[in-house]
Structures are given as structure tokens and as C-alpha cells.
Amino acid sequence: MTADYFHKDSLRVDGFKRRCADCCNATARRNYAQDPQKFAERVRERRRERTAHFESIGRYEAA
């Protein structure tokens, strides 16, 4: 696995997502096309959750 074919995922042991980047991108495009507002809200919510998680374990540093 390399960063050329897989997105990074700091929560996984090997550091990469299970699905290839092309598959992840295709899924994201399809979901966004179905309902852009809903997709954008889900992205914002996940960001908030991940930020809170990393802050709680001391691995988050604001830029």
C-alpha cells in the first residue's frame, strides 16, 4: 500500500484507508451529486468529531 493509491487514515494501524483512492473519490462524487447540502453537513460533522477525538487524546494541534 502506498499513498499513491490509498488515502491516509491516522486511525488505522497501517496508516491507510481500506479502499483505494479512486473508489473513495467515486463514492464521494456520487454522494455529493445526490444531495450536496446533506453531504457537506456530514463532512462538517465528521471534522468536528475527529477534532474532538484528537483533542481528547492530546494529538491535535490547531494550525
Side-chain angles (χ1 to χ4, degrees):
M1 284 191 208
T2 66
D4 296 332
Y5 302 104
F6 293 86
H7 292 294
K8 292 181 180 181
D9 185 350
S10 62
L11 298 178
R12 294 190 47 84
V13 174
D14 64 0
F16 296 102
K17 290 193 175 275
R18 291 183 288 168
R19 295 177 48 198
C20 72
D22 291 339
C23 294
C24 289
N25 292 341
T27 300
R29 278 190 220 96
R30 185 179 63 244
N31 290 341
Y32 179 81
Q34 289 176 355
D35 190 352
Q37 291 299 104
K38 180 179 176 183
F39 184 77
E41 181 53 38
R42 285 181 59 208
V43 168
R44 284 191 292 273
E45 181 58 30
R46 278 189 48 105
R47 273 193 202 129
R48 285 190 291 268
E49 289 172 1
R50 287 178 62 87
T51 299
H53 167 73
F54 286 116
E55 284 176 338
S56 72
I57 63 172
R59 289 187 58 198
Y60 180 80
E61 296 177 16

